[in-house]
């Protein structure tokens, strides 16, 4: 480079770096996160009120992204009874200029497919998806292909731990009912669960919500009726305890149905951490899980590629015991379970 060209380049760099701070701040780009969660019939957000999730804003701030300053969050909420709106929501979020789409809770894969069909290169963070399904989706957890990364779980491992908890809690139990919409569960998962149940001396009884209309109808009352009919199957099967799979217990409304059934019929409900009114449960540490997902979101907002962010498989679980409810249904909690409980509700 000639001396004159070098001096011109140096002058240009000096001028760019010596601009007033206000000018540089004015040109600062605002990051846009699309948070696509789930809502249910009993908890749909008020459309007239601006959506806001304080814990999300606080966690983003820990990573240097301040909502209202350099970051904007666009919210979307889709439940099983509004899954027909997924395509419209995906288009809306893309149109609003999302830099990253974070799909949470139910219907993750349908949300992902809808976004990918419109914006194939838009980064997507998924959470609460099973490790095996994640591998099928992206090929490798260490270097995921395409636009998707996130935080996964080993739901099969958790399910086996819940079976072991049933055996410890109810030493003489033989029949364990499993409530789900089995069309939404990978066939290999239940086969592995059935084998695990046999190892601890339990027989699994499928109580399929789909036999009674499932929970996907737009009319929430029909979903409630379907689950009540399925719980009647649990009772008819003379189950010693019951569990739920496939997102059934995520809804506060469904959780209340499970808890009411447990109390009415004195059949223990082994929840997955999202239904604290029942006697005992074992589930993921949801706060830890979601905070790990926010860390992934922050990396993408800074410009990282999804393929450079390995999918982490969380393993932290919490044992919850509600002694009051246990006493109400006549369930004796062994001292060993009480001693190792992470949450002992009073």
């Amino acid at each position: 480079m000639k001396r004159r060209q070098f001096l011109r380049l140096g002058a240009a760099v000096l001028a760019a770096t010596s601009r007033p701070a206000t000018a540089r701040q004015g040109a600062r780009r605002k990051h846009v996160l699309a948070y696509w969660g789930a809502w249910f019939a009993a908890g749909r957000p008020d459309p007239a009120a601006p959506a806001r999730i304080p814990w999300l804003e606080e966690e983003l701030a820990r990573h240097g992204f301040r909502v209202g300053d350099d970051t904007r969050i666009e919210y979307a909420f889709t439940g099983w009874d509004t899954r027909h709106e997924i395509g419209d929501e995906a288009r809306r979020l893309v149109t609003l200029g999302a830099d990253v789409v974070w799909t949470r809770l139910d219907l993750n894969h349908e949300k992902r497919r809808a976004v990918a069909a419109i914006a194939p290169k838009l980064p997507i963070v998924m959470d609460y998806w099973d490790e095996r399904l994640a591998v099928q989706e992206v090929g490798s957890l260490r270097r995921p292909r395409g636009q998707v990364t996130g935080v996964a779980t080993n739901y099969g491992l958790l399910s086996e731990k819940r079976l072991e908890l049933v055996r410890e809690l109810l030493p003489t139990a033989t029949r364990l009912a499993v409530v789900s919409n089995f069309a939404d569960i990978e066939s290999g998962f239940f086969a592995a669960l059935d084998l695990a149940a046999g190892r601890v001396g339990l027989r699994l009884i499928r109580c399929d919500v789909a036999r009674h209309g499932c929970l996907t109808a737009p009319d929430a009352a029909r979903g409630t009726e379907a689950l009540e009919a399925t719980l009647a199957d649990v009772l008819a099967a003379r189950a010693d305890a019951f569990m739920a799979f496939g997102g059934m217990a995520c809804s506060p409304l469904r959780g209340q149905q499970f808890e009411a059934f447990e109390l009415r019929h004195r059949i223990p409900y082994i929840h997955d951490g999202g239904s604290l009114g029942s006697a005992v449960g074992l589930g993921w540490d949801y706060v830890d899980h979601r905070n790990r997902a926010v860390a992934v979101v922050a990396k993408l907002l800074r410009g990282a590629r999804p393929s450079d962010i390995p999918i982490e498989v969380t393993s932290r679980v919490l044992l919850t015991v509600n002694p009051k409810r246990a006493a109400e249904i006549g369930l004796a909690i062994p001292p060993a379970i009480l001693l190792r409980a992470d949450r002992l509700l009073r």
Side-chain angles (χ1 to χ4, degrees), residues 62-105:
R62 287 185 62 250
H63 292 276
F65 297 93
R66 294 170 295 280
V67 176
D69 180 10
D70 60 356
T71 305
R72 186 175 89 245
I73 302 176
E74 296 293 345
Y75 290 97
F77 299 91
T78 305
W80 283 94
D81 47 355
T82 57
R83 65 194 303 175
H84 58 283
E85 298 176 2
I86 285 178
D88 292 337
E89 285 287 19
R91 281 186 287 273
R92 182 179 71 85
L93 294 174
V94 171
T95 302
L96 288 171
D99 299 306
V100 177
V101 177
W102 180 11
T103 67
R104 301 202 69 220
L105 305 171

Side-chain angles (χ1 to χ4, degrees), residues 165-171 280 319 321 326 331-341 344:
L165 178 62
V166 172
R167 170 51 64 228
E168 186 178 3
L169 187 67
L170 301 166
V280 65
L319 172 63
V321 177
L331 177 65
I333 306 293
I337 292 179
L338 290 172
L339 285 173
R340 71 172 188 269
L344 194 60

Side-chain angles (χ1 to χ4, degrees), residues 178-200:
V178 177
V179 176
S180 189
N181 176 13
F182 287 92
D184 291 334
I185 291 184
E186 183 203 0
S187 59
F189 165 76
F190 195 85
L193 188 65
D194 207 21
L195 289 174
R199 288 195 293 269
V200 296

Side-chain angles (χ1 to χ4, degrees), residues 153-337:
T153 62
N154 188 328
Y155 203 69
L157 176 62
L158 174 62
S159 302
E160 292 188 22
K161 289 182 178 294
R162 290 168 74 193
L163 294 175
E164 294 168 0
L165 178 62
V166 172
R167 170 51 64 228
E168 186 178 3
L169 187 67
L170 301 166
T172 61
T174 58
R175 300 164 69 83
L176 177 67
V178 177
V179 176
S180 189
N181 176 13
F182 287 92
D184 291 334
I185 291 184
E186 183 203 0
S187 59
F189 165 76
F190 195 85
L193 188 65
D194 207 21
L195 289 174
R199 288 195 293 269
V200 296
L202 290 170
R203 176 190 170 196
L204 298 188
I205 304 164
R206 296 194 193 198
C207 295
D208 196 346
V209 185
R211 290 184 58 238
H212 305 286
C214 200
L215 305 181
T216 59
D219 182 357
R222 289 173 56 193
T224 299
E225 293 172 0
L227 185 52
E228 284 298 324
T230 309
L231 291 172
D233 294 341
V234 172
L235 190 62
R238 304 190 311 280
D240 297 297
F242 71 103
M243 299 191 299
F245 291 99
M248 289 285 164
C250 291
S251 160
L253 178 62
R254 305 307 170 210
Q256 291 167 14
Q257 284 184 263
F258 289 130
E259 291 167 16
F261 179 84
E262 175 190 59
L263 181 60
R264 187 165 63 247
H265 298 287
R266 297 163 66 90
I267 301 176
Y269 166 46
I270 314 301
H271 65 78
D272 64 355
S275 185
L276 303 184
S278 52
V280 65
L282 187 70
W284 302 118
D285 182 341
Y286 293 110
V287 173
D288 175 72
H289 187 94
R290 77 189 189 193
N291 289 350
R292 291 174 188 269
V294 174
V296 174
V297 167
K299 291 177 183 178
L300 293 171
L301 289 176
R302 290 195 180 93
R305 297 180 303 178
S307 59
D308 292 334
I309 304 176
I311 294 174
E312 186 175 359
V313 181
T314 60
S315 58
R316 179 174 167 77
V317 297
L318 298 177
L319 172 63
T320 302
V321 177
N322 186 333
K324 180 181 178 181
R325 169 52 67 88
E328 289 174 336
I329 66 172
L331 177 65
I333 306 293
I337 292 179

